[in-house]
Amino acid sequence: MRRYFADRRPAWRMKAAMPFQDFRDFLTALREQGELVDVDRPVALELEVAKGLRKSASIAGPAFVFKNNGTPFPLVAGVYNSRAKALIAFQATEDEAFGKILNGLSNPIPPVLVDDAPVHENVIEGDDIDLSTLPVPKYSPNDGGPYITPGIVVSHDPETGIPDMGHYRFQIIDKNTMSFLAQPMHRFGKNLAKAVRLGQQTFRAALVIGVDPMLAYTCPIQATDDTNDFAVAGGLRGAAVELVKCRTNDVNVPARAEVVIEFEVQFANEVFEGPLGEYTGYYTPGSMKPIARVLAITHRNDAYFQALLTGVPPTENHTLKQLPFEASFFQMMRSQFPTIEKVAVPSSGGVSFYIVIAMRPRYSGEARAAILMAMGTNLRPKTVIVVDPDIDVNNSDQVEWAVAFRTQPSRDVILVDQLPAGPLDPSVSDDIPLDQRMGSALAIDATYPYGTDVRIAGSDEACGPSVAEHGHEFVMVADVPGWRDYDFPELRNRAP
Ligand SMILES: Cc1cc2nc3c(=O)[nH]c(=O)nc-3n(C[C@H](O)[C@H](O)[C@H](O)COP(=O)(O)O)c2cc1C
Protein backbone atom coordinates (compact mmCIF):
# COMPACT_ATOMS: atom_id res chain seq x y z
CA MET A 1 0.00 0.00 0.00
CA ARG A 2 1.32 3.40 -0.88
CA ARG A 3 1.10 5.98 1.90
CA TYR A 4 1.07 9.71 1.43
CA PHE A 5 2.64 12.05 3.96
CA ALA A 6 2.73 15.80 4.15
CA ASP A 7 6.14 16.76 2.77
CA ARG A 8 8.08 17.57 5.91
CA ARG A 9 11.43 17.60 4.19
CA PRO A 10 13.60 20.62 4.93
CA ALA A 11 13.85 23.22 2.19
CA TRP A 12 17.19 21.95 0.91
CA ARG A 13 15.66 18.48 0.34
CA MET A 14 12.78 19.84 -1.72
CA LYS A 15 15.10 21.64 -4.10
CA ALA A 16 17.59 18.82 -3.85
CA ALA A 17 17.89 18.36 -7.59
CA MET A 18 20.36 21.26 -7.81
CA PRO A 19 23.85 20.27 -6.66
CA PHE A 20 25.74 22.76 -4.53
CA GLN A 21 27.83 25.01 -6.76
CA ASP A 22 30.46 25.71 -4.17
CA PHE A 23 31.33 26.02 -0.47
CA ARG A 24 29.08 29.08 -0.12
CA ASP A 25 26.01 27.18 -1.28
CA PHE A 26 26.75 24.56 1.36
CA LEU A 27 27.18 27.22 4.04
CA THR A 28 23.79 28.68 3.09
CA ALA A 29 22.17 25.25 3.46
CA LEU A 30 23.85 24.71 6.85
CA ARG A 31 22.69 28.14 8.00
CA GLU A 32 19.10 27.45 6.90
CA GLN A 33 19.16 24.29 9.02
CA GLY A 34 20.54 26.07 12.10
CA GLU A 35 23.82 24.22 11.63
CA LEU A 36 26.03 27.29 11.12
CA VAL A 37 26.46 30.12 13.61
CA ASP A 38 28.42 33.38 13.38
CA VAL A 39 30.90 34.21 16.11
CA ASP A 40 31.53 37.95 16.04
CA ARG A 41 33.58 38.31 19.22
CA PRO A 42 37.39 37.95 18.99
CA VAL A 43 38.50 34.30 19.12
CA ALA A 44 42.17 33.26 19.24
CA LEU A 45 43.45 30.96 16.52
CA GLU A 46 45.75 29.26 19.01
CA LEU A 47 43.67 26.58 20.84
CA GLU A 48 40.51 28.68 21.34
CA VAL A 49 39.03 27.76 17.94
CA ALA A 50 39.78 24.09 18.71
CA LYS A 51 38.11 24.31 22.13
CA GLY A 52 34.95 25.72 20.52
CA LEU A 53 34.98 22.99 17.88
CA ARG A 54 35.46 20.20 20.40
CA LYS A 55 32.66 21.51 22.58
CA SER A 56 30.21 21.97 19.73
CA ALA A 57 30.94 18.52 18.30
CA SER A 58 30.34 16.90 21.70
CA ILE A 59 26.75 18.16 21.71
CA ALA A 60 26.11 17.69 17.97
CA GLY A 61 26.25 21.47 17.83
CA PRO A 62 26.67 23.85 14.90
CA ALA A 63 29.60 24.79 12.73
CA PHE A 64 31.00 28.31 13.18
CA VAL A 65 32.11 31.30 11.19
CA PHE A 66 34.82 32.97 13.30
CA LYS A 67 34.65 36.46 11.84
CA ASN A 68 36.94 38.20 14.29
CA ASN A 69 40.07 36.04 14.13
CA GLY A 70 42.76 38.67 13.56
CA THR A 71 43.00 38.18 9.77
CA PRO A 72 40.99 39.56 6.84
CA PHE A 73 39.44 36.13 6.14
CA PRO A 74 36.40 34.73 8.01
CA LEU A 75 37.22 31.24 9.32
CA VAL A 76 34.57 28.55 8.80
CA ALA A 77 35.03 25.54 11.05
CA GLY A 78 33.23 22.34 11.97
CA VAL A 79 31.22 21.88 8.77
CA TYR A 80 31.80 18.10 8.71
CA ASN A 81 31.40 17.46 12.44
CA SER A 82 28.17 15.45 12.48
CA ARG A 83 26.23 12.95 10.42
CA ALA A 84 23.39 15.51 10.17
CA LYS A 85 25.75 17.92 8.41
CA ALA A 86 27.03 15.10 6.21
CA LEU A 87 23.47 14.42 5.05
CA ILE A 88 22.99 18.12 4.27
CA ALA A 89 26.21 17.94 2.27
CA PHE A 90 24.92 14.91 0.35
CA GLN A 91 21.45 16.44 0.00
CA ALA A 92 20.30 12.95 0.88
CA THR A 93 18.81 10.73 3.53
CA GLU A 94 20.91 8.22 5.43
CA ASP A 95 20.11 5.46 2.93
CA GLU A 96 20.51 7.65 -0.16
CA ALA A 97 23.97 8.96 0.81
CA PHE A 98 25.57 5.53 0.59
CA GLY A 99 23.98 4.95 -2.81
CA LYS A 100 25.09 8.37 -4.04
CA ILE A 101 28.72 7.43 -3.47
CA LEU A 102 28.32 4.10 -5.25
CA ASN A 103 26.55 5.91 -8.09
CA GLY A 104 29.38 8.43 -8.36
CA LEU A 105 31.89 5.62 -8.64
CA SER A 106 29.86 3.77 -11.28
CA ASN A 107 28.77 6.82 -13.30
CA PRO A 108 31.64 9.32 -13.33
CA ILE A 109 31.15 12.65 -15.12
CA PRO A 110 34.36 14.17 -16.54
CA PRO A 111 35.26 17.67 -15.34
CA VAL A 112 35.15 20.70 -17.65
CA LEU A 113 37.87 23.33 -17.96
CA VAL A 114 36.92 27.02 -17.76
CA ASP A 115 39.05 30.12 -18.44
CA ASP A 116 37.48 32.52 -16.03
CA ALA A 117 37.28 31.45 -12.43
CA PRO A 118 36.10 33.09 -9.20
CA VAL A 119 39.15 31.63 -7.44
CA HIS A 120 41.34 33.85 -9.64
CA GLU A 121 39.59 37.08 -8.59
CA ASN A 122 42.66 37.74 -6.42
CA VAL A 123 46.14 36.48 -7.33
CA ILE A 124 49.04 36.97 -4.91
CA GLU A 125 52.54 36.14 -6.11
CA GLY A 126 56.21 36.79 -5.35
CA ASP A 127 57.08 38.96 -2.34
CA ASP A 128 53.41 39.67 -1.66
CA ILE A 129 52.84 36.08 -0.52
CA ASP A 130 52.34 35.97 3.24
CA LEU A 131 50.77 32.88 4.80
CA SER A 132 50.36 34.69 8.12
CA THR A 133 47.46 36.63 6.57
CA LEU A 134 45.47 33.37 6.55
CA PRO A 135 43.56 32.28 9.70
CA VAL A 136 45.31 28.98 10.42
CA PRO A 137 44.64 27.57 13.91
CA LYS A 138 46.81 25.60 16.28
CA TYR A 139 44.65 22.72 17.54
CA SER A 140 46.45 20.75 20.28
CA PRO A 141 48.86 22.24 22.84
CA ASN A 142 51.93 20.31 21.65
CA ASP A 143 51.36 20.81 17.94
CA GLY A 144 54.47 22.04 16.15
CA GLY A 145 52.66 25.14 14.91
CA PRO A 146 49.57 26.26 13.02
CA TYR A 147 48.17 23.62 10.66
CA ILE A 148 45.95 23.73 7.60
CA THR A 149 43.95 20.50 8.20
CA PRO A 150 41.02 20.70 5.73
CA GLY A 151 43.21 21.38 2.66
CA ILE A 152 42.79 19.21 -0.43
CA VAL A 153 45.95 18.55 -2.43
CA VAL A 154 45.45 18.30 -6.17
CA SER A 155 48.40 16.56 -7.76
CA HIS A 156 48.99 14.76 -11.04
CA ASP A 157 50.59 11.38 -11.57
CA PRO A 158 53.90 12.41 -13.17
CA GLU A 159 53.68 9.58 -15.73
CA THR A 160 50.01 9.38 -16.64
CA GLY A 161 48.91 12.92 -15.74
CA ILE A 162 45.84 11.54 -13.95
CA PRO A 163 44.72 14.03 -11.28
CA ASP A 164 44.19 13.07 -7.65
CA MET A 165 42.46 14.91 -4.83
CA GLY A 166 43.22 14.07 -1.20
CA HIS A 167 43.32 15.67 2.24
CA TYR A 168 46.81 16.27 3.62
CA ARG A 169 47.95 18.25 6.66
CA PHE A 170 50.14 21.30 6.01
CA GLN A 171 52.12 23.10 8.68
CA ILE A 172 52.89 26.79 8.25
CA ILE A 173 56.65 27.29 8.60
CA ASP A 174 57.07 30.93 7.54
CA LYS A 175 55.52 33.49 5.22
CA ASN A 176 56.01 31.44 2.04
CA THR A 177 57.00 27.99 3.31
CA MET A 178 54.96 25.03 4.47
CA SER A 179 55.69 21.39 5.21
CA PHE A 180 53.38 18.41 5.09
CA LEU A 181 52.86 14.70 5.64
CA ALA A 182 52.16 12.55 2.59
CA GLN A 183 52.04 8.91 3.59
CA PRO A 184 53.55 6.51 1.08
CA MET A 185 50.28 4.60 0.54
CA HIS A 186 48.31 7.72 -0.39
CA ARG A 187 48.29 9.02 -3.94
CA PHE A 188 49.99 12.35 -3.33
CA GLY A 189 52.75 10.38 -1.56
CA LYS A 190 52.89 7.95 -4.47
CA ASN A 191 53.04 10.80 -7.01
CA LEU A 192 55.93 12.40 -5.13
CA ALA A 193 57.81 9.09 -4.92
CA LYS A 194 57.29 8.53 -8.65
CA ALA A 195 58.57 12.01 -9.46
CA VAL A 196 61.75 11.26 -7.48
CA ARG A 197 62.15 7.94 -9.32
CA LEU A 198 61.76 9.74 -12.65
CA GLY A 199 64.58 12.09 -11.68
CA GLN A 200 62.44 15.23 -11.31
CA GLN A 201 64.06 17.92 -9.17
CA THR A 202 60.80 19.40 -7.89
CA PHE A 203 57.06 18.70 -7.98
CA ARG A 204 54.27 21.24 -8.35
CA ALA A 205 50.78 20.87 -6.92
CA ALA A 206 48.02 22.90 -5.27
CA LEU A 207 46.32 23.00 -1.87
CA VAL A 208 42.62 23.82 -2.18
CA ILE A 209 40.47 25.21 0.65
CA GLY A 210 36.68 25.68 0.69
CA VAL A 211 34.88 23.56 -1.91
CA ASP A 212 31.49 22.07 -2.76
CA PRO A 213 31.27 19.40 -0.04
CA MET A 214 30.89 16.63 -2.63
CA LEU A 215 34.50 17.28 -3.63
CA ALA A 216 35.60 16.97 -0.01
CA TYR A 217 33.62 13.74 0.43
CA THR A 218 35.09 12.35 -2.79
CA CYS A 219 38.66 12.63 -1.48
CA PRO A 220 38.53 9.69 0.98
CA ILE A 221 36.82 7.33 -1.51
CA GLN A 222 38.97 4.26 -1.99
CA ALA A 223 39.51 3.89 -5.72
CA THR A 224 42.27 2.67 -8.01
CA ASP A 225 45.26 4.90 -8.74
CA ASP A 226 44.08 5.48 -12.31
CA THR A 227 40.84 7.10 -11.09
CA ASN A 228 40.24 10.74 -12.00
CA ASP A 229 38.79 11.93 -8.68
CA PHE A 230 37.15 14.94 -10.33
CA ALA A 231 35.11 12.59 -12.53
CA VAL A 232 33.97 10.66 -9.43
CA ALA A 233 33.04 13.97 -7.77
CA GLY A 234 31.07 14.83 -10.92
CA GLY A 235 29.22 11.52 -10.58
CA LEU A 236 28.43 12.26 -6.93
CA ARG A 237 27.19 15.76 -7.77
CA GLY A 238 25.32 14.68 -10.88
CA ALA A 239 27.08 17.50 -12.78
CA ALA A 240 30.59 18.16 -14.06
CA VAL A 241 33.08 19.86 -11.75
CA GLU A 242 34.41 23.12 -13.25
CA LEU A 243 38.19 23.38 -13.15
CA VAL A 244 40.65 26.13 -13.94
CA LYS A 245 44.38 25.87 -14.59
CA CYS A 246 46.62 27.10 -11.80
CA ARG A 247 48.72 30.23 -12.33
CA THR A 248 52.13 28.64 -11.71
CA ASN A 249 51.68 25.02 -12.79
CA ASP A 250 49.60 22.74 -15.03
CA VAL A 251 47.37 21.44 -12.26
CA ASN A 252 43.65 22.13 -12.66
CA VAL A 253 41.76 23.12 -9.51
CA PRO A 254 38.06 23.71 -8.70
CA ALA A 255 37.20 27.06 -10.27
CA ARG A 256 34.84 28.07 -7.45
CA ALA A 257 37.15 27.13 -4.55
CA GLU A 258 37.57 29.79 -1.87
CA VAL A 259 41.38 29.72 -1.68
CA VAL A 260 44.12 27.89 -3.61
CA ILE A 261 47.74 27.76 -2.49
CA GLU A 262 50.00 26.78 -5.40
CA PHE A 263 53.27 25.24 -4.26
CA GLU A 264 56.43 23.46 -5.29
CA VAL A 265 57.88 20.56 -3.31
CA GLN A 266 61.63 20.39 -2.85
CA PHE A 267 62.39 16.74 -2.20
CA ALA A 268 65.18 16.92 0.36
CA ASN A 269 63.98 16.64 3.98
CA GLU A 270 64.93 20.15 5.00
CA VAL A 271 62.48 21.23 7.64
CA PHE A 272 61.06 19.87 10.92
CA GLU A 273 57.34 19.08 10.56
CA GLY A 274 55.11 18.12 13.52
CA PRO A 275 54.12 17.07 16.06
CA LEU A 276 50.38 17.11 15.37
CA GLY A 277 47.53 15.67 17.43
CA GLU A 278 46.20 13.22 14.85
CA TYR A 279 43.04 11.28 14.03
CA THR A 280 44.25 8.35 16.15
CA GLY A 281 43.90 10.59 19.21
CA TYR A 282 47.69 10.65 19.67
CA TYR A 283 50.43 13.03 18.62
CA THR A 284 52.48 12.03 15.62
CA PRO A 285 56.00 13.08 16.59
CA GLY A 286 57.77 15.64 14.44
CA SER A 287 60.43 14.68 11.89
CA MET A 288 62.40 16.20 9.05
CA LYS A 289 60.23 16.57 5.94
CA PRO A 290 60.29 18.27 2.53
CA ILE A 291 59.57 21.96 2.04
CA ALA A 292 56.53 23.12 0.07
CA ARG A 293 57.44 26.58 -1.25
CA VAL A 294 54.39 28.72 -2.01
CA LEU A 295 54.41 30.17 -5.54
CA ALA A 296 50.97 31.79 -5.52
CA ILE A 297 47.88 32.25 -3.38
CA THR A 298 44.67 32.83 -5.29
CA HIS A 299 41.30 33.51 -3.72
CA ARG A 300 37.76 34.67 -4.35
CA ASN A 301 36.54 38.08 -3.30
CA ASP A 302 35.46 37.90 0.37
CA ALA A 303 36.93 34.41 0.58
CA TYR A 304 36.24 32.07 3.48
CA PHE A 305 39.11 30.10 4.96
CA GLN A 306 38.42 26.78 6.66
CA ALA A 307 39.47 24.93 9.82
CA LEU A 308 38.88 21.28 10.70
CA LEU A 309 39.33 19.63 14.08
CA THR A 310 41.24 16.38 14.28
CA GLY A 311 42.18 14.41 17.39
CA VAL A 312 40.60 11.86 19.76
CA PRO A 313 37.74 10.27 17.79
CA PRO A 314 35.12 11.23 16.88
CA THR A 315 36.06 14.48 15.17
CA GLU A 316 35.05 15.93 11.83
CA ASN A 317 38.09 14.19 10.33
CA HIS A 318 36.33 10.90 11.14
CA THR A 319 32.87 11.96 9.99
CA LEU A 320 34.34 13.15 6.70
CA LYS A 321 35.99 9.79 6.05
CA GLN A 322 33.32 7.42 7.32
CA LEU A 323 30.67 7.46 4.59
CA PRO A 324 33.14 7.42 1.67
CA PHE A 325 35.32 4.76 3.30
CA GLU A 326 32.38 2.53 4.14
CA ALA A 327 30.70 2.87 0.74
CA SER A 328 33.85 2.32 -1.34
CA PHE A 329 35.16 -0.46 0.92
CA PHE A 330 31.72 -2.13 0.68
CA GLN A 331 31.81 -1.95 -3.11
CA MET A 332 35.35 -3.28 -3.29
CA MET A 333 34.59 -6.20 -0.99
CA ARG A 334 31.27 -7.01 -2.70
CA SER A 335 33.03 -7.49 -6.02
CA GLN A 336 34.58 -10.63 -4.52
CA PHE A 337 32.08 -11.52 -1.83
CA PRO A 338 28.56 -10.71 -3.07
CA THR A 339 26.85 -11.94 0.09
CA ILE A 340 28.35 -9.11 2.16
CA GLU A 341 25.34 -7.14 3.36
CA LYS A 342 26.81 -4.38 5.53
CA VAL A 343 30.14 -3.00 6.67
CA ALA A 344 31.07 -0.63 9.49
CA VAL A 345 34.32 1.29 9.77
CA PRO A 346 33.69 3.08 13.09
CA SER A 347 35.27 6.31 14.27
CA SER A 348 36.43 4.63 17.48
CA GLY A 349 39.04 2.88 15.32
CA GLY A 350 39.94 6.11 13.54
CA VAL A 351 37.77 5.00 10.56
CA SER A 352 40.51 2.60 9.51
CA PHE A 353 41.84 0.34 12.25
CA TYR A 354 38.63 -1.57 13.10
CA ILE A 355 36.21 -3.04 10.58
CA VAL A 356 33.07 -5.11 11.02
CA ILE A 357 31.61 -7.02 8.06
CA ALA A 358 28.23 -8.75 7.96
CA MET A 359 28.01 -11.53 5.40
CA ARG A 360 26.32 -14.82 4.71
CA PRO A 361 29.15 -17.22 3.83
CA ARG A 362 28.29 -19.47 0.89
CA TYR A 363 30.86 -22.13 1.71
CA SER A 364 33.31 -23.02 4.45
CA GLY A 365 36.19 -20.59 4.77
CA GLU A 366 34.57 -17.75 2.80
CA ALA A 367 34.50 -15.44 5.83
CA ARG A 368 38.23 -16.04 6.31
CA ALA A 369 38.86 -15.25 2.63
CA ALA A 370 36.96 -11.97 3.06
CA ILE A 371 39.06 -11.19 6.12
CA LEU A 372 42.28 -11.60 4.16
CA MET A 373 41.00 -9.30 1.42
CA ALA A 374 39.98 -6.67 3.98
CA MET A 375 43.44 -6.82 5.54
CA GLY A 376 44.97 -6.22 2.11
CA THR A 377 43.09 -2.98 1.45
CA ASN A 378 44.58 0.48 1.85
CA LEU A 379 42.49 1.01 5.00
CA ARG A 380 45.01 -1.32 6.66
CA PRO A 381 42.68 -2.48 9.43
CA LYS A 382 44.28 -3.91 12.56
CA THR A 383 41.10 -5.71 13.65
CA VAL A 384 38.51 -7.26 11.34
CA ILE A 385 35.38 -8.99 12.64
CA VAL A 386 33.00 -10.88 10.39
CA VAL A 387 29.49 -11.58 11.65
CA ASP A 388 26.33 -13.06 10.20
CA PRO A 389 23.81 -10.59 8.76
CA ASP A 390 21.46 -10.92 11.75
CA ILE A 391 24.04 -8.89 13.69
CA ASP A 392 23.89 -5.10 13.34
CA VAL A 393 27.45 -4.09 12.44
CA ASN A 394 26.90 -0.67 14.01
CA ASN A 395 25.73 -2.09 17.35
CA SER A 396 28.77 -2.98 19.45
CA ASP A 397 26.61 -4.96 21.94
CA GLN A 398 25.48 -7.24 19.14
CA VAL A 399 28.97 -7.59 17.67
CA GLU A 400 30.40 -8.48 21.09
CA TRP A 401 27.55 -10.97 21.62
CA ALA A 402 28.50 -12.72 18.39
CA VAL A 403 32.18 -12.71 19.33
CA ALA A 404 31.39 -14.05 22.81
CA PHE A 405 29.17 -16.95 21.83
CA ARG A 406 29.67 -17.84 18.18
CA THR A 407 33.44 -18.28 18.23
CA GLN A 408 36.09 -20.63 19.46
CA PRO A 409 39.33 -18.65 19.52
CA SER A 410 41.51 -21.60 18.53
CA ARG A 411 39.33 -22.05 15.44
CA ASP A 412 38.12 -18.55 14.59
CA VAL A 413 40.91 -16.11 15.35
CA ILE A 414 43.37 -15.20 12.60
CA LEU A 415 46.59 -13.34 13.28
CA VAL A 416 48.64 -12.09 10.35
CA ASP A 417 52.06 -10.64 11.01
CA GLN A 418 54.38 -8.46 8.94
CA LEU A 419 51.71 -6.46 7.14
CA PRO A 420 52.18 -2.78 6.26
CA ALA A 421 51.44 -0.88 9.48
CA GLY A 422 48.18 1.02 9.85
CA PRO A 423 48.34 4.73 8.99
CA LEU A 424 50.16 6.54 11.86
CA ASP A 425 49.63 3.61 14.26
CA PRO A 426 51.00 4.94 17.58
CA SER A 427 51.82 1.39 18.72
CA VAL A 428 54.47 1.08 15.99
CA SER A 429 57.83 2.73 16.64
CA ASP A 430 58.08 6.11 14.98
CA ASP A 431 61.86 5.80 14.66
CA ILE A 432 61.16 3.69 11.56
CA PRO A 433 60.54 5.58 8.30
CA LEU A 434 56.86 5.58 7.28
CA ASP A 435 57.38 3.35 4.24
CA GLN A 436 59.15 0.70 6.35
CA ARG A 437 56.68 0.40 9.22
CA MET A 438 55.20 -3.07 9.70
CA GLY A 439 52.44 -4.33 11.95
CA SER A 440 50.15 -7.26 12.55
CA ALA A 441 46.42 -7.68 12.19
CA LEU A 442 43.85 -9.68 14.09
CA ALA A 443 40.59 -11.05 12.77
CA ILE A 444 37.70 -12.95 14.27
CA ASP A 445 35.37 -15.02 12.17
CA ALA A 446 32.29 -14.66 14.36
CA THR A 447 29.92 -16.24 11.86
CA TYR A 448 28.32 -19.54 12.80
CA PRO A 449 30.25 -22.46 11.34
CA TYR A 450 29.07 -22.97 7.78
CA GLY A 451 26.00 -25.17 7.64
CA THR A 452 24.76 -24.42 11.15
CA ASP A 453 21.00 -24.58 11.48
CA VAL A 454 19.81 -21.76 13.75
CA ARG A 455 16.34 -21.67 15.28
CA ILE A 456 14.54 -19.74 17.98
CA ALA A 457 13.34 -21.95 20.83
CA GLY A 458 9.58 -22.39 20.75
CA SER A 459 9.41 -21.63 17.05
CA ASP A 460 9.76 -24.02 14.17
CA GLU A 461 11.01 -21.28 11.97
CA ALA A 462 14.62 -21.06 11.10
CA CYS A 463 16.23 -17.80 12.12
CA GLY A 464 19.71 -16.49 11.70
CA PRO A 465 21.40 -16.09 8.41
CA SER A 466 23.52 -19.15 8.12
CA VAL A 467 20.74 -21.66 7.99
CA ALA A 468 21.79 -24.34 5.55
CA GLU A 469 19.56 -26.81 3.86
CA HIS A 470 21.70 -29.61 5.13
CA GLY A 471 22.66 -28.21 8.52
CA HIS A 472 25.16 -30.32 10.37
CA GLU A 473 24.82 -28.39 13.63
CA PHE A 474 21.77 -27.14 15.42
CA VAL A 475 21.80 -23.97 17.51
CA MET A 476 18.78 -22.96 19.58
CA VAL A 477 18.52 -19.20 20.24
CA ALA A 478 16.80 -18.46 23.56
CA ASP A 479 14.78 -15.53 22.23
CA VAL A 480 11.05 -14.87 22.70
CA PRO A 481 9.29 -15.79 19.46
CA GLY A 482 7.05 -13.06 18.06
CA TRP A 483 8.23 -10.18 20.29
CA ARG A 484 8.96 -7.94 17.36
CA ASP A 485 5.34 -7.96 16.12
CA TYR A 486 3.74 -7.90 19.58
CA ASP A 487 1.71 -4.70 20.05
CA PHE A 488 2.66 -3.35 23.47
CA PRO A 489 0.63 -0.11 23.83
CA GLU A 490 2.95 1.47 26.43
CA LEU A 491 5.85 1.19 24.01
CA ARG A 492 4.14 2.65 20.96
CA ASN A 493 5.92 5.60 19.31
CA ARG A 494 9.16 4.97 21.17
CA ALA A 495 12.36 5.16 19.17
CA PRO A 496 13.94 1.75 18.57
C1 LIG B 1 40.94 15.71 7.23
C2 LIG B 1 41.89 14.68 6.72
C3 LIG B 1 43.26 14.89 6.81
C4 LIG B 1 44.15 13.94 6.31
N1 LIG B 1 45.50 14.17 6.38
C5 LIG B 1 46.36 13.30 5.80
C6 LIG B 1 47.78 13.58 5.78
O1 LIG B 1 48.23 14.59 6.33
N2 LIG B 1 48.59 12.71 5.15
C7 LIG B 1 48.12 11.57 4.55
O2 LIG B 1 48.90 10.82 3.97
N3 LIG B 1 46.79 11.26 4.59
C8 LIG B 1 45.91 12.10 5.19
N4 LIG B 1 44.57 11.83 5.21
C9 LIG B 1 44.08 10.56 4.64
C10 LIG B 1 43.95 10.60 3.14
O3 LIG B 1 43.64 11.86 2.62
C11 LIG B 1 42.87 9.63 2.69
O4 LIG B 1 43.07 8.38 3.28
C12 LIG B 1 42.77 9.49 1.21
O5 LIG B 1 41.87 8.44 0.93
C13 LIG B 1 44.10 9.16 0.58
O6 LIG B 1 44.08 9.50 -0.73
P1 LIG B 1 44.07 8.44 -1.91
O7 LIG B 1 42.84 7.60 -1.69
O8 LIG B 1 43.95 9.35 -3.07
O9 LIG B 1 45.33 7.67 -1.84
C14 LIG B 1 43.66 12.76 5.72
C15 LIG B 1 42.28 12.55 5.63
C16 LIG B 1 41.40 13.51 6.12
C17 LIG B 1 39.92 13.27 6.00
Side-chain angles (χ1 to χ4, degrees), residues 144 147 169 171 173 179-182 269-276 284-291 424 430-434 437:
Y147 266 91
R169 73 191 206 193
Q171 183 179 351
I173 305 295
S179 190
F180 58 93
L181 169 73
N269 288 337
E270 285 175 320
V271 67
F272 195 80
E273 188 266 358
L276 179 72
T284 41
S287 63
M288 295 303 284
K289 303 251 176 44
I291 280 178
L424 304 181
D430 31 69
D431 295 339
I432 307 167
L434 278 167
R437 290 186 194 171

Side-chain angles (χ1 to χ4, degrees), residues 186-236:
H186 293 153
R187 277 171 74 186
F188 176 41
K190 291 178 192 168
N191 288 345
L192 288 169
K194 201 181 253 189
V196 171
R197 264 202 318 279
L198 293 172
Q200 282 181 215
Q201 299 304 309
T202 56
F203 184 87
R204 292 191 176 192
L207 185 63
V208 181
I209 292 118
V211 288
D212 162 11
M214 283 307 91
L215 272 70
Y217 278 95
T218 296
C219 292
I221 287 177
Q222 302 293 296
T224 52
D225 288 354
D226 57 1
T227 305
N228 179 335
D229 284 349
F230 289 119
V232 176
L236 251 76

Side-chain angles (χ1 to χ4, degrees), residues 6 177 416 441:
T177 312
V416 182

Side-chain angles (χ1 to χ4, degrees), residues 114-126:
V114 298
D115 293 330
D116 230 9
V119 73
H120 286 162
E121 281 164 355
N122 301 272
V123 179
I124 303 164
E125 288 174 304

Side-chain angles (χ1 to χ4, degrees), residues 164 167-169 181 183 186-187 219-220 222 308 317 321:
D164 172 62
H167 291 98
Y168 295 86
R169 73 191 206 193
L181 169 73
Q183 299 196 70
H186 293 153
R187 277 171 74 186
C219 292
Q222 302 293 296
L308 176 149
N317 178 312
K321 284 188 293 201

Side-chain angles (χ1 to χ4, degrees), residues 7 11 104 152 160 188 214-215 260 263 343 354 389 470 488:
D7 199 339
I152 295 172
T160 63
F188 176 41
M214 283 307 91
L215 272 70
V260 170
F263 64 89
V343 300
Y354 177 70
H470 309 291
F488 201 110

